[in-house]
Amino acid sequence: MQLLDLIENKYKVISVVGMAKNAGKTVTLNELIMEAVDRNIRLGITSIGRDGEKQDIVTYTEKPMIFVNKGTIIATAEETFKLSEAKLEVLETTDVRTSIGNIIIGKTLTDGHVQIAGPAINEDTKLISQKMISFGAELVIVDGAIDRLSSASPAVTEATILATGAVLSRDMDKVIEKSAHQVNLFNLDVVEDEQIRAIAEEYIKRATVSIINDKYEVTTLDIKTALNCGSKIAGVLREDSKYVVIKGSLVAKTLMDIVSRTKKYKNVTFIVKDSTKIFIDYNDWRYFERINVKVAVLEKINILAVTINPYSPGGYYFSQSDFLNKMRKILSPIPVIDVMISGGI
């Protein structure tokens, strides 16, 4: 089985996101490109952030470039469009802006390496993906950026592949722990009550933090985000409070401030749009679980597979077989692939 077996004829737009730089994300992307070439699938490729350069512009380490075949549709900023080694035909210069120029949609006229720098805003990424499909892309791949999982959001892509690896820690168990935590966040429970879902979606659109009680009545707080407002949220919780709807990010400090000021948090479920909005590490999450903090999402992230890279640019590496087998055991039934070894799943 190959990665494309999990995607072909099922999804039109998917993302590849990394737990960190040098986790194997670009290698995973290149594997998908090679499999698509073998199956004569025309790809569309864009990015949230920048990828494809020979040397990482943040860490200055060597990294794999993105090699595409003739006929690939790409969406990249003007500056990186000019840097691509493959010859490109301009299909459309869009109104979507980035810090290095407007996004240009092009088609490769020759095989070669390209650099990809796509939109930074989810809505723009979704728009650009649809434009690439209209220009003939059969599958669009959105490449995630450093420490950002926003491209995995269901608002942007239909499914995602998570890349992780030894770069996260010298301790294999810690890498597995952190990776499993991210997968568990992707698999958080979805709000099932349709009335609650409708209310939560409406108030998230209004960009407010809101409290829903057991009679479906809503109290809106005069704050735009939950960041640094845990105390205010705690202060308005009542015995009949059932849900706290969070617009934007949910971080550990917000929850810490709430649970330290009221026991009423045990009556409520905190709702976020999807798990890309949650920024809570493994240890804090375990603590919140122990004290019965409940978090749910409106949209679940569809994780197709996890790819692993046992090598770190720091000069250390894990046993490939041990790393692969342990990760598969922990993440089962999610497919786990070592992208440094050819041969599929």
Side-chain angles (χ1 to χ4, degrees):
M1 183 183 288
Q2 295 183 316
L3 281 170
L4 272 182
D5 292 327
L6 304 169
I7 301 166
E8 191 175 6
N9 300 320
K10 301 181 183 76
Y11 308 105
K12 279 287 191 179
V13 185
I14 67 112
S15 59
V16 179
V17 297
M19 291 281 293
K21 282 283 188 182
N22 300 298
K25 176 172 57 66
T26 305
V27 178
T28 301
L29 177 58
N30 282 330
E31 173 64 26
L32 282 168
I33 292 170
M34 289 189 291
E35 291 178 16
V37 169
D38 289 341
R39 302 186 191 199
N40 294 314
I41 297 172
R42 175 172 287 182
L43 292 180
I45 301 174
T46 190
S47 174
I48 291 186
R50 180 171 179 168
D51 211 348
E53 67 275 17
K54 290 181 180 179
Q55 188 181 65
D56 191 289
I57 60 174
V58 177
T59 63
Y60 301 104
T61 55
E62 292 297 317
K63 59 177 293 187
M65 296 180 70
I66 298 173
F67 185 89
V68 297
N69 284 67
K70 178 182 177 180
T72 303
I73 310 296
I74 69 165
T76 190
E78 291 177 70
E79 183 178 308
T80 48
F81 190 93
K82 298 172 184 176
L83 296 175
S84 293
E85 295 174 3
K87 187 176 180 180
L88 299 172
E89 172 190 357
V90 175
L91 299 176
E92 180 182 346
T93 300
T94 74
D95 294 328
V96 177
R97 298 180 179 181
T98 76
S99 61
I100 53 175
N102 284 26
I103 297 295
I104 298 176
I105 299 176
K107 180 171 71 174
T108 57
L109 301 177
T110 62
D111 299 350
H113 291 98
V114 295
Q115 291 194 29
I116 305 293
I121 300 172
N122 285 357
E123 291 79 4
D124 289 340
T125 303
K126 187 171 183 177
L127 172 65
I128 292 299
S129 297
Q130 292 305 313
K131 283 181 176 290
M132 285 192 286
I133 290 171
S134 72
F135 281 117
E138 298 168 273
L139 171 66
V140 171
I141 302 175
V142 180
D143 178 78
I146 182 171
D147 295 332
R148 289 184 60 188
L149 298 171
S150 59
S151 58
S153 169
V156 182
T157 58
E158 300 168 273
T160 194
I161 296 169
L162 180 68
T164 187
V167 68
L168 294 180
S169 174
R170 290 179 175 270
D171 185 331
M172 183 191 300
D173 290 336
K174 288 189 179 299
V175 174
I176 294 171
E177 182 180 274
K178 290 179 180 180
S179 305
H181 170 56
Q182 188 60 62
V183 170
N184 288 337
L185 290 182
F186 282 175
N187 287 322
L188 277 176
D189 290 338
V190 175
V191 177
E192 299 290 350
D193 186 314
E194 290 300 327
Q195 190 169 348
I196 294 297
R197 286 182 61 84
I199 295 171
E201 287 170 355
E202 175 63 28
Y203 280 88
I204 283 177
K205 287 179 184 176
R206 295 186 190 183
T208 59
V209 175
S210 306
I211 314 295
I212 307 173
N213 69 15
D214 56 7
K215 295 179 181 177
Y216 298 98
E217 297 168 334
V218 181
T219 301
T220 301
L221 281 68
D222 188 24
I223 53 177
K224 295 296 184 183
T225 172
L227 296 174
N228 299 315
C229 291
S231 298
K232 291 183 180 179
I233 295 171
V236 297
L237 289 180
R238 302 290 180 259
E239 293 297 336
D240 63 350
S241 299
K242 292 300 178 185
Y243 297 93
V244 178
V245 181
I246 304 292
K247 163 66 179 180
S249 300
L250 177 62
V251 300
K253 184 179 185 303
T254 298
L255 288 182
M256 288 290 189
D257 287 345
I258 293 171
V259 303
S260 65
R261 285 166 174 76
T262 178
K263 297 297 183 182
K264 297 185 181 70
Y265 74 84
K266 295 183 179 181
N267 302 330
V268 306
T269 297
F270 296 89
I271 299 176
V272 294
K273 182 71 172 174
D274 62 67
S275 62
T276 66
K277 308 298 184 185
I278 300 173
F279 298 91
I280 301 174
D281 67 24
Y282 173 77
N283 290 328
D284 286 336
W285 189 261
R286 287 292 303 275
Y287 168 72
F288 292 134
E289 285 184 323
R290 287 196 299 271
I291 63 171
N292 199 32
V293 172
K294 298 179 286 294
V295 182
V297 296
L298 293 179
E299 297 178 358
K300 192 173 186 176
I301 291 174
N302 182 13
I303 180 165
L304 298 178
V306 173
T307 63
I308 61 170
N309 177 9
Y311 299 94
S312 167
Y316 61 90
Y317 58 91
F318 301 148
S319 162
Q320 290 182 294
S321 59
D322 287 351
F323 191 31
L324 182 61
N325 291 334
K326 286 184 179 181
M327 193 72 86
R328 282 178 171 171
K329 182 178 180 181
I330 294 296
L331 296 185
S332 177
I334 295 171
V336 178
I337 304 102
D338 185 340
V339 292
M340 309 307 289
I341 302 176
S342 61
I345 299 172

